[in-house]
Amino acid sequence: MQSNHVSAIIAAGGSGSRLGADTPKQLLEIGGRTILQLSVQAFAAHPRVTEVVVALPAALVGEPFPWLVPSGKTRVVTGGARRQDSVAAAFDAARADAEIVLVHDAARPFVSADLIDRCIDAARTHGAAIAATPVSDTVKQVVPDGAGYVVAGTIPRDAIFLAQTPQAFRRDVLARAIALGRSGTDATDEASLAELAGDPVSVVEGHSDNVKITTAADLEGARQRHAGATHMDRVGTGYDLHRLVEGRALILGGITIPSEKGALGHSDADVICHALTDAALGAACLGDIGRHFPDTDPRWKDASSTELLRHAVSMIREAGFDIANADVVVILERPKIAPHLEVIRANLAAVLAIDLDKLSVKGKTNEGVDAVGRGEAIAAHAVALLRHS
Ligand code: MG
């Protein structure tokens, strides 16, 4: 069945023996987050990726990673002895109606959203595509000569690309590759299996930042680069307006306010929740309320706006952020909102799972000016500040 679902498989079965650490490689930290967390969150936060299936070693499957929050996007399966076994196990658990399946090494925590995008697009066009980078060094073919190696020839540099991940496949192409692997063919990546199965694999230009953390030096380099580059707070803004009509309830921040008029909309038309949801999604660069909760989607048909806000917060947590604080201004002429602000704040702080002193809600009138001022509409503005969790 055709769909536009994109599944991402994160292969995280490696033992990390080359790093010489006691901790499994994927659980080593860079800037306060584990390598695994960074890799998973890069895909979980990507707007086109609809599910993430993480293949972990059996010993780690039971570990309750607090950041792997159950928003429904990320799942964990037990990996196998070899990388290809882990990918095959994750493939079995991934949705059968996916159009594109991405495979990514957990050891590449710095994959960018842009590279994920380009891999998806190339797989759509060509069936299979891998991120790969050209080489700048001259490449020598060598043979062992007893003591070491001797050069047997020089390989033209422009014929060489170094494979990275993500590797992206139309689902049927990856199914053929995995079937070939299961029939006894060994391979270090799924693209090799696809090549052997006769499917063309195109190349997307990878990025030098998309390093694979293999050695202790890689880890140290990644930590230094990360310390200089990230941990910026993120701010987002949201705005909403609905018409006010008779015969509708006025719901603000999940609370029904006594009023002659209520806000008109498909949903409960809760401008505070809508503006806050957009502010929080915007800060995480996760799109907006209309994209995630379209009024054509039966899942959200009768959902209250506080439920949408709660779901948006779980998406933000899954992308690696906490809400530091949020501030809302509601603009309406009638009724007076001041007597209700504390109830609204308490309700929303619970939805956002933040302390009350991190959420401000203020009321304002429009001094009789324009549609809001004439009492024909209600509007809200919100800002939210996110911090890396
Ligand atoms: Mg709205």
Side-chain angles (χ1 to χ4, degrees):
M1 192 178 90
Q2 263 298 20
S3 75
N4 54 8
H5 284 295
V6 176
S7 302
I9 290 171
I10 309 294
S15 68
S17 51
R18 273 181 285 181
L19 273 171
D22 292 336
T23 309
K25 174 168 75 177
Q26 52 274 52
L27 299 187
L28 294 170
E29 287 193 1
I30 297 172
R33 287 194 278 171
T34 64
I35 291 172
L36 176 66
Q37 186 178 3
L38 288 163
S39 297
V40 170
Q41 286 174 345
F43 288 85
H46 197 285
R48 293 170 76 187
V49 174
T50 40
E51 70 167 354
V52 182
V53 185
V54 187
L56 288 176
L60 293 181
V61 168
E63 289 217 5
F65 297 118
W67 51 268
L68 209 62
V69 295
S71 77
K73 198 166 180 180
T74 305
R75 282 180 295 133
V76 165
V77 297
T78 305
R82 300 166 300 170
R83 183 184 182 286
Q84 71 189 73
D85 302 325
S86 295
V87 172
F91 182 76
D92 289 345
R95 49 190 307 159
D97 63 346
E99 181 196 9
I100 300 295
V101 184
L102 299 159
V103 180
H104 186 69
D105 287 329
R108 293 186 190 273
F110 302 124
V111 59
S112 69
D114 169 65
L115 184 55
I116 294 170
D117 260 327
R118 288 187 287 117
C119 288
I120 293 170
D121 289 338
R124 276 212 173 120
T125 306
H126 303 288
I130 63 168
T133 52
V135 292
S136 48
D137 296 331
T138 299
V139 182
K140 300 293 185 188
Q141 175 128 38
V142 298
V143 290
D145 75 341
Y149 295 93
V150 63
V151 171
T154 300
I155 299 171
R157 194 164 54 187
D158 55 7
I160 300 287
F161 273 72
L162 304 177
Q164 301 184 333
T165 64
Q167 305 195 339
F169 306 87
R170 240 182 25 229
R171 193 179 183 283
D172 59 303
V173 173
L174 184 57
R176 277 195 292 277
I178 285 174
L180 186 66
R182 281 188 163 134
S183 72
T185 304
D186 275 330
T188 53
D189 68 357
E190 281 56 48
S192 309
L193 292 169
E195 294 153 34
L196 292 169
D199 283 300
V201 178
S202 80
V203 169
V204 167
E205 180 138 0
H207 201 283
S208 57
D209 285 348
N210 184 26
V211 288
K212 187 173 187 179
I213 312 284
T214 305
T215 65
D218 296 336
L219 182 64
E220 188 49 37
R223 281 175 172 162
Q224 284 180 8
R225 213 151 35 82
H226 190 82
T230 57
H231 268 69
M232 299 283 286
D233 292 338
R234 312 265 308 210
V235 68
T237 176
Y239 167 74
D240 195 35
L241 178 144
H242 283 263
R243 287 170 54 200
L244 287 172
V245 294
E246 284 172 8
R248 287 271 299 182
L250 180 61
I251 298 172
L252 290 173
I255 305 294
T256 303
I257 310 291
S259 171
E260 287 170 19
K261 290 178 173 183
L264 183 65
H266 284 282
S267 65
D268 54 20
D270 184 334
V271 289
I272 293 184
C273 283
H274 292 183
L276 258 180
T277 302
D278 269 359
L281 289 172
C285 219
L286 283 174
D288 66 15
I289 194 166
R291 190 167 84 208
H292 294 289
F293 312 110
D295 47 34
T296 51
D297 186 336
R299 260 195 312 166
W300 309 112
K301 187 171 171 290
D302 293 316
S304 75
S305 297
T306 50
E307 284 173 63
L308 308 190
L309 178 57
R310 191 176 282 116
H311 190 84
V313 170
S314 74
M315 291 170 58
I316 286 152
R317 294 244 153 79
E318 191 164 60
F321 297 105
D322 283 328
I323 295 174
N325 80 299
D327 185 21
V328 183
V329 54
V330 194
I331 313 162
L332 85 164
E333 217 63 16
R334 281 177 303 278
K336 283 197 187 322
I337 194 178
H340 309 286
L341 288 178
E342 292 317 300
V343 183
I344 291 171
R345 273 181 73 215
N347 190 50
L348 285 177
V351 171
L352 298 171
I354 60 175
D355 294 336
L356 200 53
D357 67 354
K358 291 178 176 163
L359 176 66
S360 153
V361 182
K362 315 183 297 296
K364 204 162 183 61
T365 72
N366 230 17
E367 297 283 329
V369 175
D370 80 19
V372 173
R374 290 191 298 271
E376 296 166 11
I378 179 170
H381 295 267
V383 289
L385 184 71
L386 305 188
R387 194 150 284 162
H388 281 287
S389 53

